[in-house]
Amino acid sequence: MTRKVSNFSDLIQRVTASCLLHPLADTRYDSSCEKDDKFLYESEPNKDADDDEEDEEDGEEDEEDEIDDYDEGKMVSLKALGEKKVKQMESLLEEVFEAVSTMKRAYVSLQGAHCPWDPEKMRVADVAVVAELRKLGVLREKFRRRQGVDDKGRRRKVRRRPTASLKEVVAPYEAVVEELKREVKAKDLEVHSLKEKLDNVVTLSSNGGGGNGKKVGRSQSRRKLGISQIQAIAAAPSPELFETAMLQVREASKSFTSLLLSLMHNAHWDITAAVRSIESATATATATKDNYNPSAITIAGSIVSAHHAKYALESYISRKFFQGFDHETFYMDGSLSSLLNPDQFRRDCFTQYHDMKSMDPTELLGILPSCHFGKFCSQKYLAIVHPKMEESLFGNLEQHRQVSTGSHPRSQFYNEFLGVAKAVWLLHLLAFSLNPAPSQFEASRGAEFHPQYMESVVRFSGGRVPAGQIVGFPVSPGFKLGNGSVVKARVYLIARA
């Protein structure tokens, strides 16, 4: 029995061997011839080989058909997988867009809660913004997980940071919380100090004598101090209330100075030249006030170091704001109410102080832009912010134009300015509510340092001012109150040499 053909090359070898052994030219048909019988017998395997070759070709065609069917099925499955992925991505994008839109609406509500100030609305809007931010973080992680799956459904080995998104979302809020904690701590210290002063005032007012009776009266007054007594004292002007208002003026002035200085840096100002100009103006103003030659106290070059430029800028702002402070209307008109009817004028000033203390200056000026406070703001803004300064900082004179026409801009810069203006205006109302009114004083450039009346804005090592220090320039004025206490003037000190 012939050997079965295993492959196509084996078939070729067998056919070739048969042709060489039995050439077709010598073959003749004879039924009795053994040779012919042998030939027929030998040629029979060749016939089987041909049949096997045909079977092989048919098998190869079937195999090619199977491969084509497999490839076509694979393409269909890949196409279906691709369509599924596209649908998943479209669904994910729709969720992202919806979350962004919702967050945008929540953020607009958060901004709207600032003006007018609505703490409850702000809290709700803040929660909504945080919730949408977290939802976006979840969607991002969802997208990353889908990207981590290959075309065959196998998960790639991708290094993930599952808590990164949450940290990124929470980090800004943690910073804000820390800042609020610091502010609360400062306010607590201020409240504690005011409570101690209030206790002392109540003790002194409830005690007529001294000695041991004074100590007993003090302890008893502290135990008996009630809410009605606190409200009664807070409802009347007092030197302690004036000191608190002066602290608020300083804080607002520092905030506005920092903003103005940052804008100068962004506008690429020469801060040293600006400080030198402020020092020169301070020296000239001091010389004019005290009637002596300013060259006698002028120091070559700038006396302020680069990181102390804020004090020179704050001095400039404070001098402009407190100009005319001794007059009942900052010399905006010729009113003499404080002289004609002093008692009524004091009551009116304290009533205005109480009414305006809790008001947003932006809202007030939006309703009454031409009131006395509005005129005060316009006058001081035009005195502090020169047109060239505004054009350099903002690239236009839009705010200057609005203020000149009696309007009040709704910009961050002008809002910071209104914070200082309101604090100074409230201090002015309190000053004219007290009887006697506080007397204002200012340290002169080149004067000796007196710790009883002056306070250095620069902190020295050890907490004590070294000997031989004189006033480089005044930063903010001081006040002597009717009860004998002193609100110290803030000064920038330099060495005498």
Side-chain angles (χ1 to χ4, degrees):
M1 187 173 181
T2 59
R3 185 169 56 90
K4 187 177 181 179
V5 178
S6 62
N7 51 40
F8 189 70
S9 60
D10 190 17
L11 177 63
I12 293 175
Q13 291 178 1
R14 291 183 62 182
V15 171
T16 304
S18 177
C19 292
L20 291 175
L21 292 174
H22 307 283
L24 294 177
D26 296 335
T27 305
R28 291 177 173 80
Y29 179 72
D30 189 354
S31 58
S32 62
C33 184
E34 182 180 357
K35 182 177 179 180
D36 291 341
D37 292 338
K38 186 178 180 181
F39 171 74
L40 292 173
Y41 178 79
E42 290 293 331
S43 63
E44 189 68 21
N46 293 337
K47 182 178 179 181
D48 295 336
D50 291 340
D51 295 337
D52 291 340
E53 184 177 356
E54 292 178 358
D55 295 339
E56 182 71 19
E57 291 177 356
D58 293 338
E60 289 180 358
E61 290 178 358
D62 295 339
E63 185 177 356
E64 289 178 359
D65 293 339
E66 292 178 359
I67 292 174
D68 292 339
D69 293 340
Y70 173 77
D71 291 339
E72 185 177 356
K74 185 177 181 182
M75 290 297 293
V76 171
S77 61
L78 289 175
K79 185 177 180 181
L81 182 62
E83 291 177 353
K84 183 179 179 182
K85 279 192 172 184
V86 169
K87 289 182 179 178
Q88 289 177 350
M89 293 304 296
E90 288 178 352
S91 175
L92 185 62
L93 284 176
E94 288 179 0
E95 293 181 11
V96 170
F97 288 142
E98 183 180 356
V100 171
S101 299
T102 308
M103 186 183 68
K104 182 179 179 181
R105 290 192 294 270
Y107 184 71
V108 170
S109 300
L110 182 63
Q111 287 182 321
H114 285 77
C115 183
W117 185 268
D118 190 342
E120 181 61 24
K121 185 179 178 182
M122 187 180 302
R123 185 189 65 79
V124 173
D126 181 70
V127 171
V129 171
V130 174
E132 294 305 322
L133 286 173
R134 288 179 175 173
K135 186 176 180 180
L136 286 174
V138 172
L139 291 175
R140 184 176 67 176
E141 288 302 313
K142 192 175 181 181
F143 173 76
R144 286 180 175 178
R145 287 196 298 269
R146 289 183 179 177
Q147 289 295 101
V149 179
D150 59 14
D151 296 337
K152 295 182 179 180
R154 294 177 301 189
R155 187 171 295 279
R156 301 191 191 105
K157 293 182 179 180
V158 181
R159 183 179 296 177
R160 294 185 180 86
R161 295 183 300 171
T163 59
S165 60
L166 185 58
K167 289 182 178 179
E168 292 172 2
V169 172
V170 175
Y173 291 92
E174 290 180 345
V176 173
V177 169
E178 292 299 325
E179 183 66 24
L180 291 176
K181 285 182 180 178
R182 287 193 292 269
E183 291 182 5
V184 169
K185 187 176 181 180
K187 293 295 181 183
D188 287 341
L189 293 175
E190 184 179 348
V191 169
H192 181 69
S193 176
L194 291 175
K195 283 183 178 179
E196 289 184 350
K197 292 180 179 179
L198 186 61
D199 290 344
N200 294 333
V201 171
V202 173
T203 301
L204 293 175
S205 62
S206 61
N207 282 315
N212 296 331
K214 184 176 181 180
K215 294 181 180 179
V216 174
R218 178 178 300 178
S219 61
Q220 289 177 352
S221 64
R222 287 181 179 177
R223 287 194 298 268
K224 295 179 180 179
L225 186 61
I227 299 177
S228 60
Q229 291 174 302
I230 295 175
Q231 292 177 346
I233 294 174
S238 63
E240 290 76 18
L241 201 59
F242 184 86
E243 292 177 12
T244 304
M246 188 62 190
L247 289 175
Q248 294 173 350
V249 170
R250 292 179 180 179
E251 292 301 321
S253 180
K254 288 179 182 178
S255 177
F256 178 67
T257 301
S258 299
L259 176 61
L260 184 57
L261 189 62
S262 65
L263 291 174
M264 289 179 174
H265 281 296
N266 293 337
H268 306 291
W269 274 43
D270 186 349
I271 304 299
T272 305
V275 169
R276 191 181 299 115
S277 176
I278 293 171
E279 293 171 1
S280 177
T282 304
T284 304
T286 305
T288 303
K289 181 179 179 181
D290 297 338
N291 296 321
Y292 63 85
N293 184 10
S295 62
I297 59 171
T298 301
I299 301 173
S302 177
I303 63 174
V304 183
S305 57
H307 58 287
H308 288 167
K310 59 182 179 181
Y311 299 125
L313 189 57
E314 187 180 352
S315 170
Y316 165 76
I317 294 170
S318 178
R319 187 173 69 253
K320 293 293 185 181
F321 265 114
F322 280 94
Q323 193 170 14
F325 189 87
D326 57 333
H327 190 263
E328 60 185 67
T329 61
F330 284 91
Y331 295 101
M332 290 187 294
D333 56 37
S335 177
L336 297 174
S337 301
S338 59
L339 299 176
L340 298 177
N341 194 351
D343 293 336
Q344 183 62 38
F345 183 75
R346 281 193 290 270
R347 288 193 295 269
D348 292 343
C349 286
F350 194 67
T351 301
Q352 293 178 35
Y353 168 81
H354 258 295
D355 293 341
M356 188 178 174
K357 184 178 180 182
S358 58
M359 291 187 67
D360 185 359
T362 306
E363 292 183 4
L364 175 62
L365 295 178
I367 301 171
L368 300 171
S370 58
C371 62
H372 284 293
F373 176 65
K375 293 178 181 178
F376 169 76
C377 294
S378 300
Q379 184 187 77
K380 294 304 180 182
Y381 183 85
L382 297 177
I384 293 173
V385 184
H386 193 273
K388 290 184 178 180
M389 177 192 290
E390 182 175 316
E391 187 176 9
S392 173
L393 297 179
F394 305 107
N396 56 60
L397 294 173
E398 180 62 25
Q399 296 184 85
H400 200 275
R401 183 189 62 79
Q402 293 185 38
V403 174
S404 299
T405 57
S407 301
H408 300 278
R410 292 296 186 97
S411 64
Q412 179 189 1
F413 180 74
Y414 197 76
N415 284 340
E416 287 288 340
F417 167 81
L418 288 181
V420 190
K422 178 187 174 182
V424 174
W425 187 260
L426 292 176
L427 184 73
H428 182 260
L429 291 174
L430 272 178
F432 280 86
S433 301
L434 294 171
N435 186 22
S439 58
Q440 180 182 349
F441 65 90
E442 188 177 78
S444 301
R445 183 183 175 110
E448 294 286 342
F449 174 72
H450 294 281
Q452 184 180 356
Y453 298 99
M454 302 178 191
E455 176 186 354
S456 174
V457 293
V458 179
R459 303 302 175 194
F460 294 92
S461 58
R464 299 185 62 182
V465 177
Q469 296 290 318
I470 62 174
V471 177
F473 56 84
V475 177
S476 63
F479 293 90
K480 188 173 182 180
L481 305 177
N483 64 347
S485 60
V486 175
V487 177
K488 296 181 181 180
R490 297 167 67 235
V491 294
Y492 184 86
L493 298 177
I494 58 173
R496 184 186 300 276

